[in-house]
Amino acid sequence: MSTTEQARPVAPMTTRQVASRRRRASAAKLWREFRASASGMSGLIFLGVVILLAILAPVIADRSMLDVTQLTDQPRFAPPSWEHPMGTDHQGRELWVRMIWGARTSLLVGVAATAMSMIIGTLVGMAAGHFTGVAGGVIMRFVDFFLVLPSLVLAIVLSSVLSRGVLTIVIAIGVTSWAATARLVRAQTLAVEARPYVERSQVLGAGHWHIIGKHLFPAVLPLVLANTTLTVGSAIIAESTLAFLGLGDPTQQSWGTILKDSMDVSAATSGYWWYVVIPGLAIVLVVLAFTLVGRTFEAIVNPTLRSR
């Protein structure tokens, strides 16, 4: 371009483009801070490996390896060895095959139940914090009612009443575990409601949906995401508990079902330690990994924890 030519004027960015750029910058900053945490990254890498194994389960181990009618030559209760890396169960099935296929169900139930719990808790919490007067009081009494109920007992009742299956466990866990999230979101909503820009929106005539969608939800979303990673671990434990109690789908492999099978054959007292230790250790490690990721993410998005 010659010096006599004038440079073309740069078009100013729209409000949406500015907001998109800020979101990308915030996400990049969050990722940089997350990578600086050794515990968070170790938990994330471990979860990535487990999720990858669960996704590739049909490729790694064909489902026919779970068919007991095709395992007539397999030894029962074989201890871990080079030939049987994690040992075999009471029907001669390789335990590592059951663990990989069980990871699919356990992770699916944990994530789906947590998603349902987060959606219900976020909507109810924002409504309880935004609407004042009688409406807010009624919503909070509804939340308190679910808080005092023992969630595990209620989940057992729902799983017993409804037909057995993965969807039933997801509903039972999701419907009974949202109250704590609702109280957390309500507290954050009340803090956001007191900020000047929300008051200005109300003075300018903004409606409830505009304030909730444009101001409250973006403000509480980081806290909800941090709480989500912490809740997934609890959901996995709840799924394992329900399956261990015999309320899961017996046709689906899960870590809780493996523990129930080990209890039915008295593996703990019969010396078949691998039948109990391996699924139990898998649950502990996955829950620990989710907790490490959640705590790291929470420390990043929460200024109080970050300053500590």
Side-chain angles (χ1 to χ4, degrees), residues 271-282:
Y272 311 132
W273 56 268
W274 60 92
Y275 207 173
V276 181
V277 172
I278 292 177
L281 186 62

Side-chain angles (χ1 to χ4, degrees), residues 52 68 81 84-85 100 119-120 144 154 158 161 166 168 180-181 204 238 253 255-256 258 299 306:
L52 184 62
V68 296
S81 62
H84 308 287
I100 292 178
I119 292 173
I120 298 174
D144 293 338
L154 184 57
L158 290 176
V161 173
V166 175
T168 298
T181 301
L204 292 174
Q253 297 293 329
W255 294 341
I258 297 175
R306 192 188 314 172

Side-chain angles (χ1 to χ4, degrees), residues 152 156 164 238-248 256-257 260 263:
L152 180 59
I156 292 175
R164 292 187 181 182
E239 183 276 332
S240 301
T241 303
L242 294 176
F244 180 77
L245 295 176
L247 299 175
T257 303
K260 180 183 182 303
M263 179 192 68

Side-chain angles (χ1 to χ4, degrees), residues 30-306:
L30 187 147
W31 174 241
R32 287 194 302 270
E33 294 181 359
F34 188 92
R35 285 189 304 175
S37 173
S39 60
M41 285 301 298
S42 60
L44 184 62
I45 293 173
F46 180 80
L47 288 178
V49 173
V50 174
I51 293 173
L52 184 62
L53 290 175
I55 294 174
L56 298 178
V59 179
I60 300 174
D62 190 81
R63 196 173 184 85
S64 60
M65 299 179 68
L66 297 173
D67 189 358
V68 296
T69 61
Q70 301 182 19
L71 302 175
T72 55
D73 297 334
Q74 283 283 91
R76 299 181 179 183
F77 296 118
S81 62
W82 287 110
E83 185 178 0
H84 308 287
M86 291 187 180
T88 61
D89 63 1
H90 62 292
Q91 293 179 327
R93 292 172 293 184
E94 292 286 349
L95 197 57
W96 69 268
V97 177
R98 297 192 65 185
M99 289 296 298
I100 292 178
W101 280 93
R104 294 168 66 93
T105 303
S106 296
L107 292 176
L108 174 63
V109 172
V111 173
T114 300
M116 178 182 294
S117 174
M118 291 298 106
I119 292 173
I120 298 174
T122 301
L123 294 177
V124 174
M126 286 194 300
H130 177 70
F131 296 103
T132 57
V134 178
V138 171
I139 295 174
M140 279 309 302
R141 300 294 77 78
F142 181 69
V143 175
D144 293 338
F145 173 76
F146 273 88
L147 275 175
V148 299
L149 284 178
S151 59
L152 180 59
V153 175
L154 184 57
I156 292 175
V157 172
L158 290 176
S159 300
S160 302
V161 173
L162 302 176
S163 59
R164 292 187 181 182
V166 175
L167 181 60
T168 298
I169 294 182
V170 170
I171 294 174
I173 298 174
V175 169
T176 58
S177 60
W178 58 267
T181 301
R183 289 191 65 90
L184 184 66
V185 171
R186 176 181 178 270
Q188 182 70 6
T189 301
L190 292 175
V192 175
E193 286 271 3
R195 295 176 181 175
Y197 65 87
V198 177
E199 296 179 357
R200 285 195 295 266
S201 297
Q202 293 173 341
V203 172
L204 292 174
H208 295 299
W209 291 113
H210 177 84
I211 294 176
I212 292 175
K214 296 293 184 179
H215 300 304
L216 298 183
F217 181 70
V220 304
L221 184 59
L223 187 63
V224 171
L225 293 177
N227 192 46
T228 298
T229 55
L230 295 172
T231 309
V232 172
S234 301
I236 292 176
I237 293 177
E239 183 276 332
S240 301
T241 303
L242 294 176
F244 180 77
L245 295 176
L247 299 175
D249 187 355
T251 63
Q252 295 289 336
Q253 297 293 329
S254 74
W255 294 341
T257 303
I258 297 175
L259 285 175
K260 180 183 182 303
D261 291 343
S262 68
M263 179 192 68
D264 292 340
V265 297
S266 303
T269 57
S270 300
Y272 311 132
W273 56 268
W274 60 92
Y275 207 173
V276 181
V277 172
I278 292 177
L281 186 62
I283 295 173
V284 171
L285 292 178
V286 168
V287 172
L288 176 61
F290 273 111
T291 302
L292 292 175
V293 173
R295 292 300 183 190
T296 303
F297 190 49
E298 186 181 23
I300 294 173
V301 301
N302 192 332
T304 304
L305 296 178
R306 192 188 314 172

